Amino acid sequence: MKAVKKENLPTKICLACNRPFSWRKKWAKVWTDVKYCSDKCRNNKNAKSNNS
């Protein structure tokens, strides 16, 4: 099995902080469902809309 270089991993944009984040091995089975880069962003997903 050949390893994939970090720069070739898929990326997404976090819905809470609008920063790019890369694929992680622990997300391998649920990558299509991942929307947030961290637990902090996932917990604060509504804070952005409440402050506006």
Side-chain angles (χ1 to χ4, degrees):
M1 179 188 239
K2 190 173 181 181
V4 177
K5 293 185 179 182
K6 287 185 180 182
E7 62 266 8
N8 295 332
L9 292 174
T11 60
K12 289 187 178 185
I13 303 296
C14 178
L15 296 178
C17 66
N18 294 319
R19 294 182 183 173
F21 63 97
S22 298
W23 181 89
R24 296 181 188 167
K25 188 175 182 178
K26 68 179 182 178
W27 292 336
K29 294 181 181 178
V30 293
W31 178 244
T32 56
D33 299 328
V34 176
K35 297 177 184 178
Y36 304 101
C37 62
S38 64
D39 287 335
K40 183 177 179 180
C41 282
R42 185 172 44 84
N43 291 332
N44 292 327
K45 62 187 169 191
N46 295 326
K48 191 175 192 181
S49 62
N50 291 340
N51 289 336
S52 298

